[in-house]
Amino acid sequence: SALLFPSKDSATFADLSLDELQKLKNLVVIDCKWRKGNGIISSPALKQVRRIRLRDPPKTSAYWRWHRFGPGCLSSIEAIYYAMLEYKEALAKTNKLCVLNESAKELSFEGR
């Protein structure tokens, strides 16, 4: 499991290995107002959960409710949408690297 929440100790999906990406089965999303988020993530139940942040969140939210927390602060549904796009992209990129590495081994083996 991973917690989708921007913090100093969070990683992006692109930072994870193929094994870590494949083992990730649950994405925990806190659905609350931004000002309550820090209180919720300080819960002992969430202390040990790996944190994930969006690598490239949109600068502005399409959500209708105004907030004063700055660029990249999205509604929960927007964050989920962009997280799934970034997860899929990271998984595809990591899988391609593995295929390329395996092909390189096969090519060098065949060349001997």
Side-chain angles (χ1 to χ4, degrees), residues 33-38 59 66-74:
K33 292 181 180 179
W34 273 101
R35 67 177 179 264
K36 293 184 179 185
N38 285 325
K59 300 297 180 223
W66 180 86
H67 64 81
R68 63 176 183 270
F69 292 96
C73 294
L74 306 174

Side-chain angles (χ1 to χ4, degrees), residues 54-110:
L54 296 177
R55 183 191 69 225
D56 192 25
K59 300 297 180 223
T60 58
S61 171
Y63 190 56
W64 62 269
R65 182 177 288 160
W66 180 86
H67 64 81
R68 63 176 183 270
F69 292 96
C73 294
L74 306 174
S75 68
S76 298
I77 193 66
E78 288 173 310
I80 293 166
Y81 171 79
Y82 287 107
M84 292 301 95
L85 289 179
E86 289 187 13
Y87 173 78
K88 182 179 175 183
E89 180 183 295
L91 193 59
K93 191 177 289 185
T94 308
N95 269 328
K96 285 179 188 171
L97 288 174
C98 289
V99 170
L100 287 174
N101 287 342
E102 289 301 316
S103 295
K105 286 179 187 174
E106 290 174 17
L107 290 173
S108 63
F109 178 76
E110 290 173 7

Side-chain angles (χ1 to χ4, degrees), residues 16-84:
L16 304 181
S17 69
L18 176 61
D19 187 51
E20 291 170 313
L21 288 167
Q22 290 175 331
K23 286 181 180 177
L24 189 57
K25 302 297 179 201
N26 300 297
L27 186 63
V28 178
V29 178
I30 298 171
D31 186 28
C32 66
K33 292 181 180 179
W34 273 101
R35 67 177 179 264
K36 293 184 179 185
N38 285 325
I40 293 172
I41 64 162
S42 64
S43 162
L46 295 176
K47 285 281 188 195
Q48 300 303 316
V49 179
R50 172 180 225 144
R51 304 217 175 147
I52 295 287
R53 71 178 181 280
L54 296 177
R55 183 191 69 225
D56 192 25
K59 300 297 180 223
T60 58
S61 171
Y63 190 56
W64 62 269
R65 182 177 288 160
W66 180 86
H67 64 81
R68 63 176 183 270
F69 292 96
C73 294
L74 306 174
S75 68
S76 298
I77 193 66
E78 288 173 310
I80 293 166
Y81 171 79
Y82 287 107
M84 292 301 95

